Amino acid sequence: MSDKFALPHSIDPYLYLQITPNDDDTLTRNYSNLPSSLQMVAATLDPDDHQTIAVSKDVTINKSNDLSVRIFLPRQALDSSSSTNKIKLPVIVYFHGGGFILFSVGTSMTHDFCSNIASEFPAVVVSVDYRLAPEHRLPAAHDDAMEALHWIITTHDEWITNYADLTSCFLMGTSAGGNIVYYAGLRAAAEADNMLPLKIKGLILHSPFFGGLNRTESELRLENNMHLPLCVNDLMWELALPIGADRGHEYCDPTVGGGSKLLQQIELLGWKVMVTGCDGDPLIDRQIELAKIMKQKGVQVVSHFVEGGFHSCDIIDTSKTTQFIVCIKDFILSSTVPACLVSQ
């Protein structure tokens, strides 16, 4: 292992993550040793199952790279008798966390969170099962995000064509998913005219996963944080970044060069960006710094930083999920309704 990713001897990050490296730059992921919230669950397609708040189904987008999505609909949406009279719902394209190396749309925690969003808003949620590193290093996940967006535009899938309002789309991601949303958002902004009728209204970066060569105060203060130890953070970047890259790479550190020039395009499009975090997360300093840079570039940023908590606690700790969803709803409302109406 290279010196630039040197790890403290007190913590074994491979054991912490329940992964085993293989000689061919792949991982054996020992999911069976993880908590029940991180086990796999199937899609829930039966609308007559009244225990299910949202129905879901898996759809393959591209067989050649094994890219798929899990689509969620509020169960009540299927209760209407005629599709021609349905009120179409906003689209939330969601990207799960896991340091780019773990988990999927079928991870129980991710599945339940997307079900709650679909039901509570209500909305059509498209959860993207992007490729994982190190088998597929960055920018593979960013590429998959863009392919999923283009699929939404062109697909004839009935759940999308009948229920999704493509003119009201939000990209949302947790942890590594927040990183994906940021970089996919930049790319989508650059080609916004070619993505019609899909109109992105905003980006939601939930506890986004960023890094850098120089340690921040929060990283040093929370070096042995039980939810995201610094050595685990470093290992995930080593496995996710392109071969030969370090944490100074732009995929890891969005502040390189003072921030992307494409942020100006996000400003021109009028997209809003929500950045959330908490001071119990080692990454909070980086999240705050990115929010600051975006504001300096003229982007409309809504920052939601709170005391306590831990990395991605809003979906890991289900007692916090309801309030978090309220915050998201408020952000989406402010991004789709004229300010003069929101203030009334």
Side-chain angles (χ1 to χ4, degrees):
M1 188 171 296
S2 60
D3 290 341
K4 64 192 175 188
F5 291 105
L7 307 175
H9 296 295
S10 57
I11 299 174
D12 182 344
Y14 291 95
L15 181 61
Y16 180 97
L17 293 168
Q18 290 296 308
I19 58 175
T20 304
N22 302 314
D23 293 338
D24 59 351
D25 200 32
T26 63
L27 292 178
T28 298
R29 298 167 174 86
N30 305 308
Y31 287 136
S32 61
N33 295 333
L34 296 175
S36 59
S37 62
L38 301 177
Q39 300 301 314
M40 295 287 290
V41 296
T44 51
L45 189 55
D46 184 4
D48 295 324
D49 180 2
H50 294 284
Q51 299 296 319
T52 301
I53 59 175
V55 292
S56 58
K57 66 176 180 179
D58 295 329
V59 180
T60 298
I61 290 179
N62 186 340
K63 291 183 179 179
S64 67
N65 62 6
D66 200 28
L67 180 60
S68 65
V69 295
R70 179 168 291 186
I71 309 174
F72 296 79
L73 282 180
R75 189 169 58 82
Q76 62 268 30
L78 297 179
D79 292 341
S80 301
S81 58
S82 173
S83 62
T84 59
N85 295 323
K86 290 183 174 67
I87 297 176
K88 292 197 172 184
L89 304 173
V91 180
I92 298 175
V93 186
Y94 182 74
F95 301 88
H96 65 81
F100 299 107
I101 68 171
L102 293 171
F103 309 137
S104 73
V105 298
T107 301
S108 178
M109 179 174 64
T110 297
H111 177 92
D112 291 346
F113 181 61
C114 290
S115 293
N116 284 327
I117 293 176
S119 177
E120 293 294 328
F121 272 71
V124 176
V125 177
V126 180
S127 183
V128 181
D129 208 13
Y130 57 87
R131 289 170 291 171
L132 299 180
E135 294 87 350
H136 305 282
R137 291 173 177 267
L138 292 172
H142 301 161
D143 295 340
D144 290 349
M146 292 304 298
E147 185 170 359
L149 293 179
H150 284 288
W151 175 83
I152 291 171
I153 298 168
T154 59
T155 184
H156 297 293
D157 181 272
E158 291 184 354
W159 283 17
I160 301 296
T161 57
N162 289 344
Y163 300 100
D165 179 4
L166 299 189
T167 67
S168 183
C169 177
F170 293 83
L171 309 187
M172 177 181 176
T174 296
S175 191
N179 177 297
I180 294 170
V181 165
Y182 177 74
Y183 287 106
L186 293 175
R187 289 169 61 172
E191 55 178 284
D193 290 342
N194 297 325
M195 300 189 71
L196 297 175
L198 188 73
K199 292 184 179 180
I200 296 172
K201 299 291 188 180
L203 313 177
I204 302 170
L205 281 57
H206 172 226
S207 299
F209 186 58
F210 296 115
L213 286 175
N214 298 320
R215 302 301 190 191
T216 65
E217 185 280 330
S218 60
E219 287 174 340
L220 294 173
R221 173 171 51 87
L222 297 167
E223 177 179 1
N224 293 314
N225 176 268
M226 64 178 293
H227 295 282
L228 186 61
L230 192 58
C231 65
V232 170
N233 176 76
D234 288 354
L235 177 60
M236 290 191 291
W237 281 120
E238 180 182 4
L239 295 171
L241 287 168
I243 296 291
D246 59 24
R247 295 191 309 275
H249 194 284
E250 62 178 327
Y251 296 154
C252 178
D253 186 354
T255 69
V256 170
S260 173
K261 294 180 179 179
L262 291 175
L263 288 172
Q264 297 173 349
Q265 184 63 19
I266 289 181
E267 177 201 6
L268 292 174
L269 290 167
W271 297 359
K272 288 187 175 182
V273 180
M274 182 179 188
V275 185
T276 77
C278 61
D279 68 4
D281 183 351
L283 305 184
I284 188 171
D285 287 351
R286 299 193 183 280
Q287 297 157 359
I288 290 174
E289 181 62 20
L290 177 59
K292 178 181 177 181
I293 287 176
M294 288 192 290
K295 287 179 181 178
Q296 291 172 343
K297 299 282 188 180
V299 177
Q300 301 177 65
V301 177
V302 176
S303 299
H304 184 73
F305 298 110
V306 299
E307 294 182 355
F310 52 87
H311 186 69
S312 304
C313 63
D314 303 293
I315 68 169
I316 296 174
D317 181 353
T318 55
S319 68
K320 299 180 183 295
T321 302
T322 300
Q323 184 56 44
F324 179 53
I325 290 177
V326 170
C327 291
I328 300 171
K329 290 178 71 172
D330 289 345
F331 170 75
I332 289 180
L333 178 63
S334 71
S335 303
T336 55
V337 179
C340 60
L341 296 180
V342 173
S343 61
Q344 289 180 358

